[in-house]
Amino acid sequence: MNHLSTTACLPLSTFTFREQMAHAGSSGEFSRIMIQLALAGKLIARELRKAGFNQMLGSTGALNVQGEEVQKLDERANDIFLEVFEHQGLVSTLVSEEMEKPFHIKEADGKGKYAVFLDPLDGSSNTDVNAPLGSIFSIHRLPPEGFSGNDEVLRKKGTDQVAAGYFLYGPSVILVYTCGNGVFQFLLDQNVGDFFLTSAAIQIPQKGSIYSANEGNQGKWFPETRNFLHFLQEVEPQSGRPYSGRYSGCLVADVHRILIKGGLYFYPAEIKKPEGKLRLMYEAAPLAFVIEQAGGLGSSGLERIKDVVPKTLHQRVPLWIGSRDDIVLAETFQRSASQT
Ligand code: AFP
């Protein structure tokens, strides 16, 4: 990994314009989208910092399109993303975990080339306990006629993503993203109010020694998944086992740990929920894009995540993601069952 310090003084805006201008005929539109996303990340970080003073913790009492409890901060984070793109004409359509239907931006009619998919606040049950949170985004190019109300143009595979990444709100706020030419990490300097490049060309270790999964769900898993977990827990020092378990309940935080330290995250299929829990288009596919660009793999257990064709915008998928060797091994356990 190429570690740069913030003294290199490369703010996100300079970096994205420089990268984009390297491509002939580029309009700078994509850089402007990244800058608006970064603005949303900064505004959400500010909301999280003061939420305890503003009665913004806890649930709204409503359920979202997924049937999950909506936290007040889920709603606020979703509004922030809408606010930074509304009236801009930059992005045509926003699809979010918090909205049943795509949100169409009318100022973009005839010119907005992109759709942005969002999990505005990932891990939102962590809000009440001051634990890490994230936001995930994925950018897709629309056909020239734009979004006409038919979901079909939005239901694209992960391989069609133009860019994807996440914000991680932890002890510091970071932005990690890829546009298909490596993975970049930026750190928010709260005093200056800007994101600065801190790592370029991040590479995930080929094999790790950490697993991240909600082990409380073991009783709901298929036997091959339980067998795999027990394999990771066996003591066999020559093969690097046992692995350590780490789980925060925030997908972004857990996958970021895996990106930096190696190992794997999994939220598998369950006997009563074979589709898993995580959402394909705004959780699994964007993270798989980042991890693949860093040299790792993202899989449903049986298929590359980026090749899964969405049938609906809010589709769920089992997710196995992380270091190449660890995911290949996990897939052999998953396939062993499909062959019996
Ligand atoms: P949301 O807060 O966006 O709904 O995401 C939560 C999450 O999808 C993901 O962040 C976690 O990894 C996972 O759920 C935690 O789920 P469990 O509580 O079932 O472990």
Side-chain angles (χ1 to χ4, degrees), residues 293-334:
Q293 280 293 311
L297 296 174
S299 168
S300 69
L302 300 173
E303 178 182 14
R304 183 186 181 206
I305 284 286
K306 286 176 68 187
D307 287 337
V308 178
V309 182
K311 295 191 187 70
T312 65
L313 294 176
H314 297 287
Q315 178 169 330
R316 295 175 193 263
V317 72
L319 178 65
W320 299 78
I321 190 165
S323 294
R324 180 168 287 271
D325 290 359
D326 292 312
I327 299 300
V328 168
L329 183 67
E331 283 178 330
T332 53
F333 276 75
Q334 293 295 303

Side-chain angles (χ1 to χ4, degrees), residues 51-207:
F53 292 120
N54 294 352
Q55 286 73 50
M56 282 299 286
L57 300 177
S59 142
T60 60
L63 298 181
N64 68 10
V65 56
Q66 330 280 339
E68 296 160 348
E69 212 178 21
V70 178
Q71 304 293 317
K72 290 182 196 165
L73 285 166
D74 276 325
E75 218 167 64
R76 183 68 198 115
N78 191 63
D79 287 348
I80 287 175
F81 278 109
L82 296 182
E83 285 158 17
V84 301
F85 286 112
E86 245 185 332
H87 313 305
Q88 288 277 336
L90 250 185
V91 162
S92 157
T93 309
L94 297 170
V95 178
S96 158
E97 178 185 349
E98 301 306 329
M99 301 186 298
E100 188 176 355
K101 301 260 183 250
F103 181 87
H104 179 59
I105 295 168
K106 54 181 186 318
E107 285 81 358
D109 279 347
K111 52 184 176 164
K113 291 193 297 221
Y114 296 99
V116 178
F117 288 73
L118 297 161
D119 179 351
L121 198 61
D122 169 61
S124 54
S125 65
N126 280 356
T127 51
D128 293 346
V129 295
N130 201 29
L133 293 143
S135 299
I136 309 175
F137 59 89
S138 161
I139 304 176
H140 281 267
R141 197 185 298 279
L142 287 168
E145 65 278 15
F147 173 59
S148 57
N150 180 355
D151 279 6
E152 204 180 323
V153 297
L154 298 172
R155 280 188 267 118
K156 293 285 182 54
K157 291 195 292 186
T159 47
D160 293 325
Q161 293 171 102
V162 175
Y166 54 82
F167 296 91
L168 171 56
Y169 313 105
S172 58
V173 178
I174 60 170
L175 161 63
V176 173
Y177 83 90
T178 183
C179 337
N181 59 346
V183 178
F184 303 100
Q185 179 175 308
F186 295 80
L187 175 68
L188 177 61
D189 183 328
Q190 311 268 8
N191 296 322
V192 178
D194 219 338
F195 282 98
F196 290 89
L197 183 68
T198 48
S199 303
I202 296 178
Q203 286 291 303
I204 184 171
Q206 181 160 338
K207 177 186 177 321

Side-chain angles (χ1 to χ4, degrees), residues 97 119 121-124 214 247 249 251 265 267 277-278 283:
E97 178 185 349
D119 179 351
L121 198 61
D122 169 61
S124 54
N214 185 342
Y247 191 71
L251 174 67
Y265 173 99
Y267 209 110
K277 175 182 184 187
L278 301 178
E283 291 185 316

Side-chain angles (χ1 to χ4, degrees), residues 37-57:
L37 284 170
L39 174 61
K42 289 185 252 184
L43 292 169
I44 292 170
R46 187 183 65 177
E47 291 291 329
L48 298 179
R49 278 198 302 276
K50 57 182 194 178
F53 292 120
N54 294 352
Q55 286 73 50
M56 282 299 286
L57 300 177

